[in-house]
């Protein structure tokens, strides 16, 4: 997903600035933080602002309910922990 965000960074940032909403759903230990970092970097590069300003911008989107995450961490595997398998 991040490569698509990089390719379309200007359009993504413009849509968010025009009131768009972004919903990130999925794995929360690597994917979600990587997506969030990509958004911050794109904003910082396009608007020529500091990383702190980009972080504040994204935090403001989240506060406004225009950036939301539904993520999880950890993967349950019966193979990795057979003692927890339901028989």
């Amino acid at each position: 997903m991040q490569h698509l965000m990089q390719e379309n960074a200007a359009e993504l940032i413009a849509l968010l600035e025009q009131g768009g909403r972004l919903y990130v759903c999925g794995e929360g230990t690597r994917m979600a933080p990587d997506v969030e970092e990509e958004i911050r970097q794109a904003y910082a590069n396009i608007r020529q602002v500091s990383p702190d300003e980009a972080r504040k911008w994204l935090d403001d989107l989240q506060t406004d309910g225009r950036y939301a995450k539904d993520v999880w961490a950890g993967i349950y595997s019966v193979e990795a922990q057979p003692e927890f398998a339901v028989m």
Side-chain angles (χ1 to χ4, degrees):
M1 178 170 177
Q2 292 88 318
H3 70 283
L4 295 174
M5 293 171 61
Q6 288 173 348
E7 292 172 14
N8 300 288
E11 184 177 3
L12 173 62
I13 298 306
L15 288 170
L16 290 169
E17 289 181 324
Q18 294 169 18
R21 297 173 181 267
L22 182 62
Y23 181 69
V24 176
C25 181
E27 194 276 322
T29 58
R30 284 191 259 155
M31 183 278 299
D34 289 349
V35 167
E36 194 164 291
E37 179 61 23
E38 188 60 45
I39 295 166
R40 283 194 304 262
Q41 285 182 7
Y43 183 80
N45 292 339
I46 290 166
R47 295 296 172 237
Q48 299 292 302
V49 299
S50 72
D52 286 339
E53 290 174 286
R55 182 171 286 106
K56 183 183 179 328
W57 171 79
L58 192 57
D59 288 346
D60 289 346
L61 285 181
Q62 191 166 5
T63 299
D64 293 344
R66 294 184 31 233
Y67 173 61
K69 297 179 281 188
D70 182 8
V71 298
W72 63 87
I75 298 175
Y76 173 75
S77 168
V78 173
E79 292 80 21
Q81 296 178 310
E83 65 272 18
F84 294 113
V86 177
M87 301 292 174

